[in-house]
């Protein structure tokens, strides 16, 4: 009897000790752990979802060339876009041959021959492109950044041509080993039959010949708190001090890192001066570090597409939010902006993001609207561009705050050769 009682007491003491150890390590339920990583950051409570880099790398548009100067465009998330892209991701491309971009009149060939064109706005390094496509690159091609892939066939040639255009604009690589048949390409091209026809202008961009129907939607919003971001980004939030700026923003700092909060608590900018510039830049490692950083400190709500600036010593990364098939433009005066990171040797030096997010799946109102087309659209483009060359024209969402959340209004946007993006006025 006594032995049994002793054993019971012993079990209770051990259990109490374990519980006490748990609270010492993890403090309070729902709070952060004092066990920190090598970088002295702490993973906060669940906020947004985590994503793999492969989920963020996809073409901004897919242009279907049907021959006889007939074209259409599929945008991300649309059924045929996903079907064609998933099939191309499973095919192999190898034995790349380099040639000058001036070796052919590519615009004329697009008018004549059926094919599929994938556009990667801003360019994507081959080392990252390999994560979403089956490529067998040599050392020369491996060092490239690709901004466009064009796969096509001709009546006189039984083979499939697969061209990868360098973002530098001077060379193009053709894969002589292509795991696609002419019939494969023609089947994909046939998906474009019956969809909104687009015209290839002399300036090289596309405009629809018929009204483009796009969903207009109103969605409720949520908002991360400053306390959530503070707990996430600082090892010991109790050691941070608060500084009130003249412009109304606040800065939290632990004397090393800083977190600036602006636009009525809707936007934050985090800076870590410990990151060091280096002449040896590995873009792929920087991108992976950036995605991992966002996964840990805020996460993702909805669909994002990754673009990057590969011209600087550091790697500047933009994560652009999407709804349905179209990008959501920034609304900086309201603090609603895309995610931006500056990465230096796999260390995040700057992290900027909106605290607002859309509660997708809880839409309040939906309706189809028509965007302008043809001559009317072309006149709007000329007025917006003035004397600047137009690189591309694409539909996007202009976010407008409402009492219930955010209304996403479809608009045409024009990207200029200067890099500036201008929104066209709606009807």
């Amino acid at each position: 009897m006594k032995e049994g009682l002793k054993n019971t007491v012993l079990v209770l003491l051990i259990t109490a000790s374990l519980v006490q150890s748990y609270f010492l390590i993890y403090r309070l339920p729902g709070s952060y752990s004092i066990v920190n990583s090598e970088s002295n950051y702490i993973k906060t409570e669940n906020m947004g979802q985590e994503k793999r880099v492969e989920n963020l790398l996809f073409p901004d548009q897919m242009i279907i060339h049907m021959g006889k100067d007939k074209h259409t465009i599929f945008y991300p998330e649309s059924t045929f876009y996903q079907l064609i892209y998933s099939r191309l991701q499973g095919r192999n491309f190898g034995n790349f041959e380099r040639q000058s971009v001036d070796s052919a009149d590519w615009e004329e060939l697009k008018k004549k021959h059926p094919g599929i064109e994938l556009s990667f706005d801003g360019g994507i390094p081959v080392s990252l492109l390999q994560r979403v496509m089956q490529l067998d690159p040599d050392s020369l091609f491996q060092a490239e950044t690709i901004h466009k892939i064009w796969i096509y066939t001709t009546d006189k040639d039984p083979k499939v041509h697969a061209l990868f255009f360098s973002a530098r604009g001077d060379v193009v690589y053709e894969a002589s080993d292509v795991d696609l048949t002419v019939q494969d390409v023609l089947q994909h091209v046939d998906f474009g039959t019956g969809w909104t026809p687009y015209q290839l202008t002399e300036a090289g961009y596309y405009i629809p010949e018929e009204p483009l129907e796009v969903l207009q939607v109103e969605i409720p919003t949520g908002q991360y708190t400053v306390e959530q971001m503070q707990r996430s980004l600082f090892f010991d939030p109790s050691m941070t001090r608060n500084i009130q700026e003249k412009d109304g923003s606040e800065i939290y700092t632990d004397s090393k890192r800083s977190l600036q909060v602006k636009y009525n608590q809707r936007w934050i900018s985090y800076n870590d001066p410990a990151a060091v510039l280096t002449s040896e830049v590995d873009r792929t490692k920087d991108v992976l570090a950036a995605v991992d950083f966002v996964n840990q400190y805020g996460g993702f709500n909805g669909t994002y597409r990754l673009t990057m600036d590969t011209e600087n010593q550091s790697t500047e990364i933009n994560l652009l939010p999407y709804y349905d098939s179209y990008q959501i433009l920034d609304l900086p005066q309201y603090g609603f902006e895309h995610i931006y990171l500056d990465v230096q040797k796999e260390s995040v030096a700057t992290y900027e993001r909106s605290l607002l997010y859309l509660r997708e799946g809880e839409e309040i109102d939906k309706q189809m609207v028509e965007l302008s087309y043809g001559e009317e659209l072309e006149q709007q483009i000329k007025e917006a561009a003035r004397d600047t060359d137009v690189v591309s024209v694409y539909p996007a969402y202009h976010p407008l705050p409402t009492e219930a959340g955010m209304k996403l209004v479809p608009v045409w946007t024009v990207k200029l050769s200067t890099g500036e993006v201008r929104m066209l006025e709606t009807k």
Side-chain angles (χ1 to χ4, degrees):
M1 182 68 177
K2 291 183 178 180
E3 290 298 323
L5 182 60
K6 288 181 180 179
N7 289 336
T8 301
V9 172
L10 182 60
V11 168
L12 290 173
L13 288 173
I14 293 174
T15 301
S17 176
L18 290 172
V19 171
Q20 185 180 30
S21 298
Y22 174 87
F23 282 109
L24 286 173
I25 295 173
Y26 294 100
R27 299 191 177 183
L28 296 173
S31 185
Y32 55 87
S33 166
I34 65 172
V35 178
N36 58 294
S37 64
E38 294 180 2
S39 59
N40 283 334
Y41 297 117
I42 309 151
K43 184 173 175 61
T44 187
E45 64 265 33
N46 290 331
M47 294 163 67
Q49 296 179 344
E50 294 188 3
K51 287 187 180 292
R52 299 175 58 194
V53 68
E54 290 83 356
N55 302 134
L56 308 170
L57 301 173
F58 52 88
D60 57 289
Q61 59 183 12
M62 178 184 292
I63 306 166
I64 305 298
H65 306 290
M66 294 172 281
K68 299 180 181 180
D69 201 12
K70 294 181 179 180
H71 319 269
T72 193
I73 298 180
F74 295 140
Y75 295 98
E77 299 293 312
S78 64
T79 301
F80 286 133
Y81 173 104
Q82 292 180 314
L83 177 60
I84 296 172
Y85 187 45
S86 64
R87 288 183 177 180
L88 293 179
Q89 287 179 296
R91 300 306 178 97
N92 297 315
F93 301 86
N95 197 11
F96 294 90
E97 299 174 0
R98 192 171 187 260
Q99 56 185 288
S100 170
V101 75
D102 298 323
S103 60
D105 186 346
W106 306 113
E107 300 303 305
E108 191 63 28
L109 289 175
K110 289 177 186 177
K111 294 178 180 180
K112 291 182 178 179
H113 304 302
I116 305 155
E117 182 179 346
L118 307 179
S119 168
F120 291 91
D121 181 37
I124 176 172
V126 170
S127 55
L128 281 173
L129 189 59
Q130 282 182 275
R131 288 180 165 266
V132 292
M133 297 188 73
Q134 306 298 315
L135 306 178
D136 185 18
D138 55 24
S139 58
L140 192 62
F141 183 62
Q142 180 75 50
E144 281 288 358
T145 297
I146 301 300
H147 80 101
K148 181 170 58 181
I149 301 172
W150 182 29
I151 301 167
Y152 73 99
T153 66
T154 68
D155 294 335
K156 299 179 181 179
D157 195 343
K159 65 176 287 188
V160 173
H161 298 268
L163 304 172
F164 294 73
F165 290 79
S166 169
R168 297 199 314 270
D170 58 344
V171 297
V172 58
Y173 294 82
E174 180 166 5
S176 57
D177 292 339
V178 181
D179 183 24
L180 282 166
T181 67
V182 171
Q183 190 58 40
D184 290 332
V185 175
L186 294 178
Q187 184 186 56
H188 295 158
V189 169
D190 282 343
F191 292 143
T193 305
W195 288 88
T196 305
Y198 279 74
Q199 174 190 356
L200 175 59
T201 65
E202 293 182 359
Y205 58 86
Y206 297 84
I207 59 173
E209 297 177 342
E210 298 175 358
L212 183 66
E213 289 193 338
V214 181
L215 183 68
Q216 178 174 289
V217 62
E218 186 174 8
I219 309 176
T221 57
Q223 183 171 323
Y224 299 141
T225 67
V226 175
E227 289 74 18
Q228 282 178 305
M229 300 305 299
Q230 186 188 9
R231 286 199 300 268
S232 173
L233 291 164
F234 293 102
F235 169 56
D236 188 352
S238 66
M239 298 299 292
T240 63
R241 58 193 179 94
N242 176 277
I243 303 171
Q244 190 75 38
E245 295 289 279
K246 291 182 180 179
D247 62 359
S249 65
E250 291 182 291
I251 296 177
Y252 298 84
T253 179
D254 61 358
S255 298
K256 295 180 180 179
R257 300 179 289 262
S258 66
L259 176 68
Q260 184 179 22
V261 186
K262 297 179 69 174
Y263 301 125
N264 298 322
Q265 312 290 303
R266 296 191 186 98
W267 176 88
I268 60 106
S269 176
Y270 167 81
N271 292 279
D272 185 354
V276 180
L277 281 172
T278 175
S279 58
E280 299 178 3
V281 181
D282 189 320
R283 305 293 182 191
T284 299
K285 289 183 178 180
D286 284 350
V287 167
L288 294 175
V291 174
D292 183 59
F293 189 94
V294 176
N295 280 334
Q296 294 184 63
Y297 311 115
F300 297 89
N301 290 90
T303 301
Y304 283 80
R305 180 172 61 86
L306 186 150
T307 68
M308 57 193 295
D309 185 347
T310 59
E311 299 299 322
N312 301 321
Q313 281 185 297
S314 61
T315 303
E316 296 184 11
I317 296 168
N318 292 289
L319 292 162
L320 309 177
Y322 271 65
Y323 178 80
D324 195 23
S325 294
Y326 310 107
Q327 179 187 332
I328 304 173
L329 301 176
D330 285 348
L331 190 63
Q333 65 271 26
Y334 194 69
F336 188 72
E337 299 185 61
H338 65 256
I339 301 173
Y340 167 82
L341 300 100
D342 182 63
V343 187
Q344 301 169 6
K345 202 173 182 179
E346 303 172 55
S347 179
V348 174
T350 303
Y351 175 43
E352 297 179 356
R353 70 175 297 160
S354 173
L355 296 177
L356 283 173
Y357 60 89
L358 302 177
R359 295 185 179 277
E360 293 190 27
E362 301 178 24
E363 286 78 356
I364 300 167
D365 181 59
K366 295 181 180 181
Q367 61 176 311
M368 298 300 295
V369 299
E370 291 186 349
L371 294 179
S372 56
Y373 65 100
E375 293 181 2
E376 179 186 356
L377 174 58
E378 196 158 11
Q379 183 60 35
Q380 290 176 322
I381 294 169
K382 289 179 180 178
E383 292 174 359
R386 301 183 182 93
D387 297 326
T388 310
D389 291 336
V390 175
V391 175
S392 63
V393 178
Y394 56 93
Y397 280 116
H398 175 41
L400 296 175
T402 65
E403 290 185 4
M406 194 78 70
K407 178 182 286 187
L408 301 182
V409 180
V411 294
W412 283 112
T413 52
V414 176
K415 183 175 183 180
L416 305 177
S417 57
T418 59
E420 182 183 359
V421 174
R422 292 178 182 172
M423 182 178 64
L424 304 186
E425 293 295 328
T426 56
K427 295 181 180 179

